[in-house]
Amino acid sequence: MGTASDIKLIDEKGIRLDGRSLSELRPIKIETDVLERADGSAYIEWGGNKIMVAVYGPREAYPKHTQDIDKAVIKARYNMAAFSVDERKRPGPDRRSVEISKVISEALQCAIMVEQFPRAQIDVYIEVLQADAGTRIAGLTAASVAVAAAGIPMRDLVVGCTAGKVDGKIVLDLGKEEDNFGQADLPMGILAKSGKIVLMQMDGDLTTEEFDEATAMIYDAAKRINDIQREALAGKYRALAMERGGE
Ligand code: CDP
């Protein structure tokens, strides 16, 4: 979060730098089955973010000491390509990617019926090809679709979204400048049907009222994002049905 007070991110009419209103999402597109060798895959474009997700498993957890006799272990790995950001990102894991991998693994763990696969692991590779703020929630949204596309039983889809505070106003889905120079950023992961929160982090400060306003905005947007997820999965099954019909 920057402090540059001379940068105006929202105009008098409540319009943001990229032309959006305060509660407007950036454009989101999701496609499934983009990788042949993965058990499930999804590609998401969310504003300027471009992220590929590949899912493998469930398969026997390895090394063996990572096995859980009661349930499958979710191993999500979030990785940013060296060319995904303005300044070259040094390849390999860093503190940030280890943290994001952990919170995404935990969020997915709540949505997947892990108890059906004791001693197994499910690998979820999240590769950020182009980053433009909100990569963790875009990655989580796509990961959830990729897991469903792999045919892994799930209780619910996870929807990721952020809201935050910019120029003193609560806004949905922060863009890059808003993320850099805004006052707060609240990424959340929500189970689509139950509304249960499975990921919540916060950068910056919000009052209780602002937090409630931001959360309400996220819940409202989650319905729209979930429709896009479901449409991507429906597209997969329509294509399958057509293949079968043509046999
Ligand atoms: O991407 P997300 O908002 O989930 O995480 P963040 O740590 O708040 O990062 C915000 C944005 O900063 C990223 O989406 C990237 O666009 C950018 N970033 C960067 O330019 N270089 C990095 N090494 C990490 C992040």
Side-chain angles (χ1 to χ4, degrees):
M1 295 288 133
T3 49
S5 53
D6 50 330
I7 300 176
K8 209 162 165 15
L9 298 164
I10 302 176
D11 73 11
E12 328 48 69
K13 292 188 188 127
I15 302 298
R16 297 151 75 179
L17 281 186
D18 58 6
R20 282 186 292 154
S21 69
L22 301 183
S23 59
E24 198 174 334
L25 285 166
R26 291 175 286 178
I28 303 173
K29 269 198 304 198
I30 307 176
E31 223 181 299
T32 59
D33 294 352
V34 279
L35 300 172
E36 264 180 35
R37 289 185 197 94
D39 294 319
S41 60
Y43 172 67
I44 189 165
E45 288 186 3
W46 181 320
N49 293 306
K50 297 186 179 191
I51 304 172
M52 185 70 86
V53 182
V55 172
Y56 297 83
R59 55 193 179 184
E60 191 183 356
Y62 188 82
K64 275 207 157 156
H65 70 82
T66 65
Q67 291 185 356
D68 185 327
I69 56 165
D70 295 320
K71 56 182 186 298
V73 181
I74 311 300
K75 296 181 179 173
R77 195 201 65 166
Y78 166 101
N79 182 54
M80 266 183 153
F83 51 80
S84 66
V85 283
D86 287 333
E87 216 167 291
R88 180 180 181 274
K89 151 86 176 64
R90 201 163 155 251
D94 52 22
R95 274 180 56 173
R96 178 176 172 276
S97 66
V98 170
E99 171 206 309
I100 296 177
S101 301
K102 179 175 187 291
V103 294
I104 290 182
S105 297
E106 289 169 356
L108 291 173
Q109 175 101 27
C110 299
I112 298 170
M113 294 186 173
V114 284
E115 61 288 348
Q116 290 190 8
F117 307 100
R119 297 183 191 280
Q121 72 181 38
I122 296 168
D123 292 291
V124 181
Y125 296 97
I126 300 166
E127 296 289 332
V128 179
L129 307 175
Q130 186 171 288
D132 193 36
T135 56
R136 78 193 64 202
I137 53 92
L140 175 61
T141 301
S144 167
V145 171
V147 170
I152 297 170
M154 298 176 86
R155 273 174 245 292
D156 216 337
L157 284 172
V158 192
V159 180
C161 190
T162 69
K165 189 174 165 183
V166 172
D167 284 357
K169 295 199 168 69
I170 299 302
V171 301
L172 185 70
D173 185 22
L174 274 64
K176 186 78 175 71
E177 291 78 11
E178 295 173 334
D179 188 284
N180 287 351
F181 303 113
Q183 293 116 29
D185 181 14
L186 175 72
M188 279 175 64
I190 299 169
L191 294 187
K193 275 185 285 177
S194 70
K196 191 176 154 198
I197 295 170
V198 291
L199 181 153
M200 187 165 77
Q201 300 187 284
M202 190 159 87
D203 191 9
D205 293 306
L206 292 174
T207 64
T208 316
E209 292 74 31
E210 287 169 343
F211 179 83
D212 289 345
E213 195 183 335
T215 314
M217 239 182 207
I218 291 174
Y219 270 94
D220 188 48
K223 293 183 210 129
R224 283 172 270 154
I225 302 165
N226 185 234
D227 283 344
I228 300 169
Q229 289 178 307
R230 288 162 32 148
E231 186 49 42
L233 287 163
K236 170 189 163 93
Y237 291 110
R238 266 199 303 272
L240 269 179
M242 273 168 69
E243 260 174 46
R244 300 238 162 90
E247 271 167 14

